[in-house]
Amino acid sequence: MTSNNRQTSNNSNANRSPVNGQQARTCQFKMVLLGESAVGKSSLVLRFVRGQFHEYQESTIGAAFLTQTVSVDDTTVKLELWDTAGQERYHSLAPMYYRGAQAAIVVYDITNADTFSRAKVWVKELQRQAAPNIVIALAGNKADLAAKRQIEVVDAQTYADENGLIFMETSAKTAMNVNDIFMAIAKKLPKNQDSSSGRTGNNGPSITVDRPGNSRATGSDGGCCAGTK
Ligand SMILES: Nc1nc2c(ncn2[C@@H]2O[C@H](COP(=O)(O)OP(=O)(O)OP(=O)(O)O)[C@@H](O)[C@H]2O)c(=O)[nH]1
Ligand SMILES: [Mg+2]
């Protein structure tokens, strides 16, 4: 939350840009990443948005805001990604970021059992406090460090199944399952409800830091499509 230089375009026609002579449907969703510090939230987002990985990724201060646009069938899905800070002193800020979010990725580090316990606490908090229809994914990150694993896949999968979560082990380092987990969420998001707030910005990835109040993501009641074929 150190600057306010978010790159957006207010092109009101962007929701209905013609694709192959037809009107494309554009949806926009707010997604939040939660989890203990150093589990790899920022690394997952940077891998997804920029295709990069940094061995010495700096710990996030406050939160970072990024966007990425993907295609799901005939729909352009713009994801507004709030990458929260995992350090204890920022935990009280989390509700600002998950409020109104249509999706969340709760991240743990497969080599650290404490982070899995913390992930479960985040899931519980989302189930109680976030939008009732929020799509939640559980990411067991650092899968490239399987030799140091403390959490077995079957245990995480069982927990995810019991709680209706998408689950994948990921590696921001090798890129394993990174696009896949974001795409699995994007596919599960509702895209058939019209909303007047289906604003869209530039289509390319952008990375900025911002305040959550500036997000124009839609409300907590589901779809945010604008423009239909
Ligand atoms: N081996 C390995 N290291 C990773 C992976 N993902 C992240 N890391 C490393 O783990 C450290 C922490 O990653 P971050 O992305 O900063 O973690 P974070 O969850 O954003 O941490 P906070 O911002 O403090 O909440 C960095 O040194 C990363 O390089 C991964 O998949 N594999
Ligand atoms: Mg971070």
Side-chain angles (χ1 to χ4, degrees), residues 36-43 53-55 57-60 84-86 141-142 144-145 171-173:
E36 191 61 79
S37 183
V39 295
K41 299 179 295 299
S42 300
S43 300
F53 175 76
H54 303 301
E55 288 284 349
Q57 178 66 40
E58 282 183 20
S59 189
T60 304
T84 66
N141 193 41
K142 308 197 185 182
D144 55 290
L145 301 178
S171 170
K173 186 168 181 170

PDB file of all heavy atoms in Angstrom, residues 36-43 53-55 57-60 84-86 141-142 144-145 171-173, ligand 1:
ATOM      1  N   GLU A  36      -0.001 -17.719   5.518  1.00  0.00           N
ATOM      2  CA  GLU A  36       1.126 -17.331   6.373  1.00  0.00           C
ATOM      3  C   GLU A  36       2.222 -16.638   5.551  1.00  0.00           C
ATOM      4  O   GLU A  36       2.334 -16.862   4.339  1.00  0.00           O
ATOM      5  CB  GLU A  36       1.668 -18.623   7.017  1.00  0.00           C
ATOM      6  CG  GLU A  36       2.650 -18.405   8.124  1.00  0.00           C
ATOM      7  CD  GLU A  36       2.028 -17.618   9.262  1.00  0.00           C
ATOM      8  OE1 GLU A  36       1.299 -18.203  10.060  1.00  0.00           O
ATOM      9  OE2 GLU A  36       2.288 -16.397   9.342  1.00  0.00           O
ATOM     10  N   SER A  37       3.020 -15.846   6.222  1.00  0.00           N
ATOM     11  CA  SER A  37       4.140 -15.185   5.556  1.00  0.00           C
ATOM     12  C   SER A  37       5.109 -16.235   4.989  1.00  0.00           C
ATOM     13  O   SER A  37       5.344 -17.277   5.610  1.00  0.00           O
ATOM     14  CB  SER A  37       4.871 -14.289   6.562  1.00  0.00           C
ATOM     15  OG  SER A  37       5.906 -13.607   5.921  1.00  0.00           O
ATOM     16  N   ALA A  38       5.637 -15.945   3.823  1.00  0.00           N
ATOM     17  CA  ALA A  38       6.689 -16.747   3.162  1.00  0.00           C
ATOM     18  C   ALA A  38       6.196 -18.062   2.555  1.00  0.00           C
ATOM     19  O   ALA A  38       7.013 -18.890   2.139  1.00  0.00           O
ATOM     20  CB  ALA A  38       7.863 -17.018   4.106  1.00  0.00           C
ATOM     21  N   VAL A  39       4.883 -18.263   2.487  1.00  0.00           N
ATOM     22  CA  VAL A  39       4.389 -19.484   1.832  1.00  0.00           C
ATOM     23  C   VAL A  39       4.474 -19.376   0.300  1.00  0.00           C
ATOM     24  O   VAL A  39       4.406 -20.384  -0.399  1.00  0.00           O
ATOM     25  CB  VAL A  39       2.935 -19.827   2.254  1.00  0.00           C
ATOM     26  CG1 VAL A  39       2.866 -20.179   3.730  1.00  0.00           C
ATOM     27  CG2 VAL A  39       1.979 -18.697   1.902  1.00  0.00           C
ATOM     28  N   GLY A  40       4.578 -18.127  -0.192  1.00  0.00           N
ATOM     29  CA  GLY A  40       4.726 -17.953  -1.637  1.00  0.00           C
ATOM     30  C   GLY A  40       3.542 -17.310  -2.341  1.00  0.00           C
ATOM     31  O   GLY A  40       3.373 -17.486  -3.551  1.00  0.00           O
ATOM     32  N   LYS A  41       2.765 -16.531  -1.631  1.00  0.00           N
ATOM     33  CA  LYS A  41       1.597 -15.856  -2.252  1.00  0.00           C
ATOM     34  C   LYS A  41       2.066 -14.922  -3.375  1.00  0.00           C
ATOM     35  O   LYS A  41       1.563 -14.973  -4.497  1.00  0.00           O
ATOM     36  CB  LYS A  41       0.811 -15.061  -1.190  1.00  0.00           C
ATOM     37  CG  LYS A  41       0.238 -15.906  -0.074  1.00  0.00           C
ATOM     38  CD  LYS A  41      -0.504 -15.073   0.943  1.00  0.00           C
ATOM     39  CE  LYS A  41       0.374 -14.106   1.709  1.00  0.00           C
ATOM     40  NZ  LYS A  41       1.444 -14.767   2.508  1.00  0.00           N
ATOM     41  N   SER A  42       2.992 -14.042  -3.034  1.00  0.00           N
ATOM     42  CA  SER A  42       3.465 -13.086  -4.054  1.00  0.00           C
ATOM     43  C   SER A  42       4.138 -13.815  -5.199  1.00  0.00           C
ATOM     44  O   SER A  42       3.997 -13.425  -6.369  1.00  0.00           O
ATOM     45  CB  SER A  42       4.456 -12.098  -3.419  1.00  0.00           C
ATOM     46  OG  SER A  42       3.843 -11.391  -2.383  1.00  0.00           O
ATOM     47  N   SER A  43       4.864 -14.867  -4.872  1.00  0.00           N
ATOM     48  CA  SER A  43       5.560 -15.629  -5.920  1.00  0.00           C
ATOM     49  C   SER A  43       4.564 -16.282  -6.871  1.00  0.00           C
ATOM     50  O   SER A  43       4.796 -16.328  -8.086  1.00  0.00           O
ATOM     51  CB  SER A  43       6.459 -16.683  -5.277  1.00  0.00           C
ATOM     52  OG  SER A  43       7.423 -16.071  -4.453  1.00  0.00           O
ATOM     53  N   PHE A  53       9.930 -15.617 -11.377  1.00  0.00           N
ATOM     54  CA  PHE A  53      10.121 -16.135 -10.020  1.00  0.00           C
ATOM     55  C   PHE A  53      11.402 -15.527  -9.462  1.00  0.00           C
ATOM     56  O   PHE A  53      12.414 -15.472 -10.140  1.00  0.00           O
ATOM     57  CB  PHE A  53      10.246 -17.662 -10.021  1.00  0.00           C
ATOM     58  CG  PHE A  53      10.566 -18.218  -8.659  1.00  0.00           C
ATOM     59  CD1 PHE A  53       9.576 -18.296  -7.678  1.00  0.00           C
ATOM     60  CD2 PHE A  53      11.854 -18.640  -8.334  1.00  0.00           C
ATOM     61  CE1 PHE A  53       9.866 -18.783  -6.417  1.00  0.00           C
ATOM     62  CE2 PHE A  53      12.146 -19.133  -7.072  1.00  0.00           C
ATOM     63  CZ  PHE A  53      11.152 -19.205  -6.114  1.00  0.00           C
ATOM     64  N   HIS A  54      11.334 -15.054  -8.223  1.00  0.00           N
ATOM     65  CA  HIS A  54      12.516 -14.484  -7.573  1.00  0.00           C
ATOM     66  C   HIS A  54      12.857 -15.300  -6.334  1.00  0.00           C
ATOM     67  O   HIS A  54      12.010 -15.449  -5.443  1.00  0.00           O
ATOM     68  CB  HIS A  54      12.258 -13.027  -7.162  1.00  0.00           C
ATOM     69  CG  HIS A  54      11.844 -12.156  -8.318  1.00  0.00           C
ATOM     70  ND1 HIS A  54      12.642 -11.980  -9.430  1.00  0.00           N
ATOM     71  CD2 HIS A  54      10.721 -11.433  -8.559  1.00  0.00           C
ATOM     72  CE1 HIS A  54      12.029 -11.193 -10.295  1.00  0.00           C
ATOM     73  NE2 HIS A  54      10.853 -10.848  -9.803  1.00  0.00           N
ATOM     74  N   GLU A  55      14.090 -15.795  -6.274  1.00  0.00           N
ATOM     75  CA  GLU A  55      14.525 -16.564  -5.093  1.00  0.00           C
ATOM     76  C   GLU A  55      14.430 -15.713  -3.835  1.00  0.00           C
ATOM     77  O   GLU A  55      14.181 -16.216  -2.750  1.00  0.00           O
ATOM     78  CB  GLU A  55      15.976 -17.048  -5.266  1.00  0.00           C
ATOM     79  CG  GLU A  55      16.147 -18.163  -6.275  1.00  0.00           C
ATOM     80  CD  GLU A  55      15.684 -19.531  -5.771  1.00  0.00           C
ATOM     81  OE1 GLU A  55      15.411 -19.663  -4.562  1.00  0.00           O
ATOM     82  OE2 GLU A  55      15.573 -20.456  -6.600  1.00  0.00           O
ATOM     83  N   GLN A  57      12.318 -13.079  -3.029  1.00  0.00           N
ATOM     84  CA  GLN A  57      11.104 -12.260  -3.090  1.00  0.00           C
ATOM     85  C   GLN A  57      10.926 -11.514  -1.762  1.00  0.00           C
ATOM     86  O   GLN A  57      10.992 -12.112  -0.695  1.00  0.00           O
ATOM     87  CB  GLN A  57       9.900 -13.186  -3.329  1.00  0.00           C
ATOM     88  CG  GLN A  57       8.565 -12.504  -3.376  1.00  0.00           C
ATOM     89  CD  GLN A  57       8.446 -11.581  -4.575  1.00  0.00           C
ATOM     90  OE1 GLN A  57       8.905 -11.911  -5.668  1.00  0.00           O
ATOM     91  NE2 GLN A  57       7.865 -10.431  -4.363  1.00  0.00           N
ATOM     92  N   GLU A  58      10.709 -10.213  -1.853  1.00  0.00           N
ATOM     93  CA  GLU A  58      10.529  -9.429  -0.619  1.00  0.00           C
ATOM     94  C   GLU A  58       9.172  -9.695   0.012  1.00  0.00           C
ATOM     95  O   GLU A  58       8.184  -9.883  -0.692  1.00  0.00           O
ATOM     96  CB  GLU A  58      10.645  -7.934  -0.926  1.00  0.00           C
ATOM     97  CG  GLU A  58      12.073  -7.491  -1.092  1.00  0.00           C
ATOM     98  CD  GLU A  58      12.183  -6.000  -1.326  1.00  0.00           C
ATOM     99  OE1 GLU A  58      11.224  -5.274  -0.997  1.00  0.00           O
ATOM    100  OE2 GLU A  58      13.224  -5.585  -1.842  1.00  0.00           O
ATOM    101  N   SER A  59       9.163  -9.680   1.324  1.00  0.00           N
ATOM    102  CA  SER A  59       7.906  -9.847   2.054  1.00  0.00           C
ATOM    103  C   SER A  59       6.987  -8.666   1.748  1.00  0.00           C
ATOM    104  O   SER A  59       7.429  -7.516   1.699  1.00  0.00           O
ATOM    105  CB  SER A  59       8.220  -9.915   3.555  1.00  0.00           C
ATOM    106  OG  SER A  59       7.078 -10.276   4.262  1.00  0.00           O
ATOM    107  N   THR A  60       5.737  -8.969   1.535  1.00  0.00           N
ATOM    108  CA  THR A  60       4.776  -7.930   1.149  1.00  0.00           C
ATOM    109  C   THR A  60       4.438  -7.026   2.339  1.00  0.00           C
ATOM    110  O   THR A  60       4.270  -7.492   3.453  1.00  0.00           O
ATOM    111  CB  THR A  60       3.498  -8.592   0.605  1.00  0.00           C
ATOM    112  OG1 THR A  60       3.859  -9.453  -0.457  1.00  0.00           O
ATOM    113  CG2 THR A  60       2.485  -7.573   0.122  1.00  0.00           C
ATOM    114  N   THR A  84      -2.176 -10.361  -0.282  1.00  0.00           N
ATOM    115  CA  THR A  84      -2.081  -9.787   1.065  1.00  0.00           C
ATOM    116  C   THR A  84      -0.740 -10.114   1.715  1.00  0.00           C
ATOM    117  O   THR A  84      -0.031 -11.025   1.300  1.00  0.00           O
ATOM    118  CB  THR A  84      -3.222 -10.293   1.977  1.00  0.00           C
ATOM    119  OG1 THR A  84      -3.061 -11.704   2.187  1.00  0.00           O
ATOM    120  CG2 THR A  84      -4.584 -10.014   1.377  1.00  0.00           C
ATOM    121  N   ALA A  85      -0.439  -9.379   2.764  1.00  0.00           N
ATOM    122  CA  ALA A  85       0.796  -9.604   3.532  1.00  0.00           C
ATOM    123  C   ALA A  85       0.517 -10.635   4.615  1.00  0.00           C
ATOM    124  O   ALA A  85      -0.451 -10.513   5.362  1.00  0.00           O
ATOM    125  CB  ALA A  85       1.250  -8.293   4.160  1.00  0.00           C
ATOM    126  N   GLY A  86       1.363 -11.648   4.695  1.00  0.00           N
ATOM    127  CA  GLY A  86       1.128 -12.726   5.647  1.00  0.00           C
ATOM    128  C   GLY A  86       1.645 -12.468   7.049  1.00  0.00           C
ATOM    129  O   GLY A  86       1.276 -13.187   7.980  1.00  0.00           O
ATOM    130  N   ASN A 141       1.861 -24.891  -1.774  1.00  0.00           N
ATOM    131  CA  ASN A 141       2.953 -24.364  -2.604  1.00  0.00           C
ATOM    132  C   ASN A 141       4.307 -24.961  -2.201  1.00  0.00           C
ATOM    133  O   ASN A 141       4.435 -25.588  -1.157  1.00  0.00           O
ATOM    134  CB  ASN A 141       2.965 -22.834  -2.495  1.00  0.00           C
ATOM    135  CG  ASN A 141       3.848 -22.198  -3.546  1.00  0.00           C
ATOM    136  OD1 ASN A 141       3.857 -22.630  -4.713  1.00  0.00           O
ATOM    137  ND2 ASN A 141       4.624 -21.201  -3.170  1.00  0.00           N
ATOM    138  N   LYS A 142       5.294 -24.711  -3.034  1.00  0.00           N
ATOM    139  CA  LYS A 142       6.676 -25.219  -2.899  1.00  0.00           C
ATOM    140  C   LYS A 142       6.716 -26.726  -3.130  1.00  0.00           C
ATOM    141  O   LYS A 142       7.458 -27.458  -2.489  1.00  0.00           O
ATOM    142  CB  LYS A 142       7.300 -24.811  -1.548  1.00  0.00           C
ATOM    143  CG  LYS A 142       7.208 -23.316  -1.265  1.00  0.00           C
ATOM    144  CD  LYS A 142       8.144 -22.827  -0.192  1.00  0.00           C
ATOM    145  CE  LYS A 142       7.911 -21.353   0.127  1.00  0.00           C
ATOM    146  NZ  LYS A 142       8.809 -20.805   1.131  1.00  0.00           N
ATOM    147  N   ASP A 144       8.050 -28.177  -5.388  1.00  0.00           N
ATOM    148  CA  ASP A 144       9.389 -28.585  -5.837  1.00  0.00           C
ATOM    149  C   ASP A 144      10.260 -29.047  -4.666  1.00  0.00           C
ATOM    150  O   ASP A 144      11.294 -29.679  -4.871  1.00  0.00           O
ATOM    151  CB  ASP A 144      10.069 -27.407  -6.556  1.00  0.00           C
ATOM    152  CG  ASP A 144      10.128 -26.153  -5.692  1.00  0.00           C
ATOM    153  OD1 ASP A 144       9.059 -25.547  -5.462  1.00  0.00           O
ATOM    154  OD2 ASP A 144      11.207 -25.781  -5.226  1.00  0.00           O
ATOM    155  N   LEU A 145       9.834 -28.743  -3.446  1.00  0.00           N
ATOM    156  CA  LEU A 145      10.595 -29.161  -2.262  1.00  0.00           C
ATOM    157  C   LEU A 145       9.961 -30.395  -1.608  1.00  0.00           C
ATOM    158  O   LEU A 145       9.942 -30.525  -0.384  1.00  0.00           O
ATOM    159  CB  LEU A 145      10.655 -28.004  -1.243  1.00  0.00           C
ATOM    160  CG  LEU A 145      11.301 -26.703  -1.747  1.00  0.00           C
ATOM    161  CD1 LEU A 145      11.258 -25.628  -0.659  1.00  0.00           C
ATOM    162  CD2 LEU A 145      12.750 -26.951  -2.181  1.00  0.00           C
ATOM    163  N   SER A 171       3.942 -24.979  -7.563  1.00  0.00           N
ATOM    164  CA  SER A 171       5.297 -24.468  -7.341  1.00  0.00           C
ATOM    165  C   SER A 171       5.455 -23.190  -8.141  1.00  0.00           C
ATOM    166  O   SER A 171       5.431 -23.215  -9.376  1.00  0.00           O
ATOM    167  CB  SER A 171       6.356 -25.478  -7.780  1.00  0.00           C
ATOM    168  OG  SER A 171       7.637 -24.862  -7.759  1.00  0.00           O
ATOM    169  N   ALA A 172       5.602 -22.089  -7.412  1.00  0.00           N
ATOM    170  CA  ALA A 172       5.872 -20.825  -8.106  1.00  0.00           C
ATOM    171  C   ALA A 172       7.244 -20.891  -8.765  1.00  0.00           C
ATOM    172  O   ALA A 172       7.493 -20.231  -9.774  1.00  0.00           O
ATOM    173  CB  ALA A 172       5.815 -19.667  -7.113  1.00  0.00           C
ATOM    174  N   LYS A 173       8.127 -21.725  -8.209  1.00  0.00           N
ATOM    175  CA  LYS A 173       9.486 -21.827  -8.744  1.00  0.00           C
ATOM    176  C   LYS A 173       9.511 -22.526 -10.104  1.00  0.00           C
ATOM    177  O   LYS A 173      10.111 -22.034 -11.053  1.00  0.00           O
ATOM    178  CB  LYS A 173      10.370 -22.575  -7.749  1.00  0.00           C
ATOM    179  CG  LYS A 173      11.819 -22.612  -8.134  1.00  0.00           C
ATOM    180  CD  LYS A 173      12.679 -23.101  -6.986  1.00  0.00           C
ATOM    181  CE  LYS A 173      14.142 -23.103  -7.388  1.00  0.00           C
ATOM    182  NZ  LYS A 173      15.012 -23.333  -6.228  1.00  0.00           N
TER     183      LYS A 173
HETATM  184  N1  LIG B   1      11.445 -23.520  -3.583  1.00  0.00           N
HETATM  185  C1  LIG B   1      10.411 -22.667  -3.667  1.00  0.00           C
HETATM  186  N2  LIG B   1      10.503 -21.450  -3.099  1.00  0.00           N
HETATM  187  C2  LIG B   1       9.431 -20.615  -3.210  1.00  0.00           C
HETATM  188  C3  LIG B   1       8.258 -20.971  -3.897  1.00  0.00           C
HETATM  189  N3  LIG B   1       7.390 -19.938  -3.832  1.00  0.00           N
HETATM  190  C4  LIG B   1       8.003 -18.988  -3.131  1.00  0.00           C
HETATM  191  N4  LIG B   1       9.234 -19.374  -2.752  1.00  0.00           N
HETATM  192  C5  LIG B   1      10.211 -18.614  -1.961  1.00  0.00           C
HETATM  193  O1  LIG B   1       9.658 -18.416  -0.680  1.00  0.00           O
HETATM  194  C6  LIG B   1       9.990 -17.136  -0.183  1.00  0.00           C
HETATM  195  C7  LIG B   1       8.716 -16.386   0.207  1.00  0.00           C
HETATM  196  O2  LIG B   1       7.942 -16.143  -0.957  1.00  0.00           O
HETATM  197  P1  LIG B   1       6.887 -14.949  -1.047  1.00  0.00           P
HETATM  198  O3  LIG B   1       6.233 -15.059  -2.364  1.00  0.00           O
HETATM  199  O4  LIG B   1       7.510 -13.648  -0.704  1.00  0.00           O
HETATM  200  O5  LIG B   1       5.903 -15.350   0.128  1.00  0.00           O
HETATM  201  P2  LIG B   1       4.600 -14.553   0.628  1.00  0.00           P
HETATM  202  O6  LIG B   1       3.599 -15.575   1.003  1.00  0.00           O
HETATM  203  O7  LIG B   1       4.197 -13.551  -0.373  1.00  0.00           O
HETATM  204  O8  LIG B   1       5.143 -13.839   1.940  1.00  0.00           O
HETATM  205  P3  LIG B   1       4.543 -12.483   2.641  1.00  0.00           P
HETATM  206  O9  LIG B   1       4.533 -11.415   1.602  1.00  0.00           O
HETATM  207  O10 LIG B   1       5.507 -12.191   3.754  1.00  0.00           O
HETATM  208  O11 LIG B   1       3.191 -12.824   3.142  1.00  0.00           O
HETATM  209  C8  LIG B   1      10.790 -16.426  -1.287  1.00  0.00           C
HETATM  210  O12 LIG B   1      12.163 -16.563  -0.993  1.00  0.00           O
HETATM  211  C9  LIG B   1      10.451 -17.212  -2.533  1.00  0.00           C
HETATM  212  O13 LIG B   1      11.496 -17.233  -3.469  1.00  0.00           O
HETATM  213  C10 LIG B   1       8.199 -22.261  -4.509  1.00  0.00           C
HETATM  214  O14 LIG B   1       7.221 -22.677  -5.127  1.00  0.00           O
HETATM  215  N5  LIG B   1       9.311 -23.068  -4.348  1.00  0.00           N
END
